[in-house]
Amino acid sequence: MRVAAGLLGAMAVMAVPMTASAQGPPKYAGSCIDAACHGEFGQRAVVHDPVGEGSCDLCHEETDAKTHGFKLTSDLAELCMECHDEFEGKVRHAPAAEGECTVCHDPHGSAAPKLLNQAKEADVCVDCHDDVTENLAFLHGPVAAGACMVCHDAHASDHPALLFAPDREVCVKCHDAIATRISTREHQHDPATEDCASCHHPHGAANKMILRDLPPKLCLECHDSIAEVLEEATVGHDAVTAGKSCTSCHDPHAAIAAQLLVDEPMALCMSCHDREVTSGEATIAGLGKLLAENPNHHGPIRDKSCTGCHEVHGGENFRLLTEAYPPGFYAPFEEERYALCFGCHEADAVYEASTDTLTNFRNGKQNLHYVHVHRTPKGRTCRACHETHASNRPRHMAESVPFGEWRIPIKFSQTPTGGSCSPGCHRPYRYDRDAAVANLPG
């Protein structure tokens, strides 16, 4: 028992650590990470290779054995580059360029991949780039996921902002469906083939699709001629100013139809105007049923060219017409009032009271267009007799036309050399080009 008590006392004395002043620095066997003070480095999830191999002297050299003092074997940046010399590029990440590798990496070991000194990749970036997502309602997917390296190289690149490739190439690595659509369609939006960042913010934005601004404002930054039209227009097109705005009709990336239209022009117009449309206080009749039931279509309709008569974005005339056209049943005759019609039809047909060539609407040589239209103040406008889009009658004659709340029946009938009408506005009249009709009462 006395021997046992003596051994226990000796062990207690040995367990008390000796001070450096009394015994000098401790002598360790093995590498630094085998020792009591640096052993934790080797236990981390990711260990720097020299540490794991116990080759601490690759980076450190002793300066004072008595104080256990060490220094780096060379400047930090040079030291790292002795092994990590693969980071080359015209654009250098500031910490890498300035040799501050430990701003992002722990030189011994880390719980995170790549020896990052934060648990998440994005947390390392945010330490410096904390303003990238500030006050942004919509974030780019990689940004929201904290995957900065999906787009950027952490050390060096030949491209601005440390992108791993030119801007658009970075985008289409993920957005390959859009890239395919662009490459396979005839008409392409220039920004979509050159610089996605013209319209989209790469990190995030206040708008959906991370757009830098909303249409039409975004679009008008480049399409200044359209901006001028919209600014000067007194009659607007709801498709431009409401809803999806420009993208109601145009594809922002690429399209089969010209002007990046999402469909062929007339089909696109009919996607709205096949049914009744309300715009402000005005109601515009639907054309779908009218065109289907009336095969005698106006020339621009036959040519599938709504823009033959209508402006697309905005204008100065009733119903977005490209030129003036009287909106009512009556109008004093002035050629300028009929600029739309006279763009295709000869104005002379209204100026001459007598003719045998200018129009087929005549009784002998009496020009019946002149009789109806060339009047002041109550000239009959084209819409007093004709349908502007389609009719079942020849010469686009209408079955009936609006006159206030009443629709006046026309009751037009055609003959080989003339015809007759029995409308609500006068008694029945006939006309014949070859043998003038007297049209006496009764």
Side-chain angles (χ1 to χ4, degrees), residues 221-245:
E221 288 178 5
C222 294
H223 300 283
D224 48 5
S225 61
I226 304 299
E228 187 176 343
V229 168
L230 296 181
E231 185 177 346
E232 296 178 356
T234 55
V235 180
H237 190 186
D238 284 356
V240 179
T241 58
K244 295 191 297 180
S245 186

Side-chain angles (χ1 to χ4, degrees), residues 48-187:
H48 196 190
D49 284 351
V51 176
E53 294 167 1
S55 301
C56 307
D57 56 353
L58 286 177
C59 301
H60 302 279
E61 63 181 2
E62 191 175 57
T63 58
D64 189 336
K66 290 183 179 181
T67 61
H68 197 55
F70 287 84
K71 69 174 185 178
L72 295 177
T73 56
S74 62
D75 175 78
L76 178 62
E78 294 177 5
L79 182 61
C80 298
M81 290 302 112
E82 286 179 12
C83 297
H84 304 285
D85 58 355
E86 69 272 23
F87 306 125
E88 298 180 357
K90 299 174 184 176
V91 182
R92 303 289 300 277
H93 193 193
E98 296 166 7
E100 298 291 343
C101 306
T102 55
V103 168
C104 302
H105 302 280
D106 190 302
H108 298 106
S110 172
K114 303 173 186 176
L115 295 171
L116 294 175
N117 55 23
Q118 298 275 3
K120 296 179 181 178
E121 182 180 278
D123 292 340
V124 178
C125 303
V126 169
D127 273 351
C128 296
H129 304 286
D130 56 349
D131 59 342
V132 168
T133 60
E134 189 174 2
N135 298 323
L136 298 180
F138 300 93
L139 298 180
H140 192 192
V143 177
C148 308
M149 298 304 111
V150 167
C151 302
H152 299 279
D153 193 299
H155 299 99
S157 170
D158 285 329
H159 310 287
L162 290 169
L163 293 173
F164 67 78
D167 296 24
R168 187 175 181 277
E169 287 184 29
V170 174
C171 300
V172 300
K173 287 287 186 182
C174 294
H175 299 285
D176 52 350
I178 291 177
T180 299
R181 194 164 87 231
I182 292 170
S183 65
T184 56
R185 294 190 175 181
E186 182 179 356
H187 303 280

Side-chain angles (χ1 to χ4, degrees), residues 169-429:
E169 287 184 29
V170 174
C171 300
V172 300
K173 287 287 186 182
C174 294
H175 299 285
D176 52 350
I178 291 177
T180 299
R181 194 164 87 231
I182 292 170
S183 65
T184 56
R185 294 190 175 181
E186 182 179 356
H187 303 280
Q188 302 163 345
H189 195 194
D190 287 346
T193 63
E194 298 168 5
D195 182 14
C196 308
S198 296
C199 300
H200 302 278
H201 196 293
H203 294 114
N207 311 298
K208 288 183 178 181
M209 305 299 178
I210 55 174
L211 290 172
R212 291 186 175 275
D213 212 331
L214 290 175
K217 186 177 179 182
L218 176 65
C219 305
L220 298 180
E221 288 178 5
C222 294
H223 300 283
D224 48 5
S225 61
I226 304 299
E228 187 176 343
V229 168
L230 296 181
E231 185 177 346
E232 296 178 356
T234 55
V235 180
H237 190 186
D238 284 356
V240 179
T241 58
K244 295 191 297 180
S245 186
C246 307
T247 56
S248 297
C249 300
H250 301 279
D251 190 300
H253 298 107
I256 297 171
Q259 281 82 49
L260 294 172
L261 294 175
V262 297
D263 204 342
E264 294 301 328
M266 186 170 176
L268 178 60
C269 297
M270 291 299 290
S271 66
C272 291
H273 293 286
D274 63 335
R275 58 195 180 278
E276 189 176 271
V277 175
T278 300
S279 176
E281 297 181 359
T283 298
I284 302 168
L287 296 179
K289 184 177 180 181
L290 176 70
L291 297 183
E293 295 179 353
N294 294 272
N296 188 8
H297 292 174
H298 192 194
I301 299 289
R302 290 197 303 273
D303 295 338
K304 300 185 183 303
S305 175
C306 303
T307 55
C309 297
H310 297 278
E311 295 284 4
V312 174
H313 298 104
E316 299 177 356
N317 299 303
F318 175 75
R319 292 289 190 263
L320 286 172
L321 294 171
T322 56
E323 300 287 351
Y325 175 62
F329 190 91
Y330 294 119
F333 176 73
E334 294 176 4
E335 185 173 334
E336 294 77 10
R337 293 179 187 271
Y338 295 85
L340 180 70
C341 301
F342 293 151
C344 297
H345 303 283
E346 292 292 337
D348 289 349
V350 182
Y351 275 102
E352 301 294 332
S354 178
T355 180
D356 56 6
T357 58
L358 292 175
T359 177
N360 283 335
F361 186 36
R362 64 182 194 273
N363 192 25
K365 290 189 175 182
Q366 183 187 26
N367 183 348
L368 299 178
H369 274 121
Y370 178 90
V371 169
H372 284 79
V373 179
H374 206 289
R375 289 185 173 194
T376 299
K378 295 178 67 174
R380 274 64 168 174
T381 65
C382 304
R383 68 177 69 246
C385 298
H386 299 281
E387 285 283 3
T388 52
H389 293 101
S391 170
N392 256 327
R393 301 279 185 173
R395 303 296 180 185
H396 309 303
M397 293 299 297
E399 297 285 354
S400 63
V401 295
F403 188 77
E405 295 185 1
W406 178 42
R407 291 194 67 88
I408 298 178
I410 301 298
K411 298 180 182 178
F412 171 75
S413 177
Q414 189 178 33
T415 67
T417 56
S420 64
C421 61
S422 180
C425 51
H426 60 68
R427 64 184 177 82
Y429 282 122

Side-chain angles (χ1 to χ4, degrees), residues 14-52:
M14 290 174 66
V16 177
M18 293 184 170
T19 64
S21 60
Q23 300 294 330
K27 302 296 183 183
Y28 299 120
S31 70
C32 303
I33 64 169
D34 294 331
C37 52
H38 301 303
E40 182 268 336
F41 289 162
Q43 303 304 313
R44 296 179 182 179
V46 182
V47 179
H48 196 190
D49 284 351
V51 176

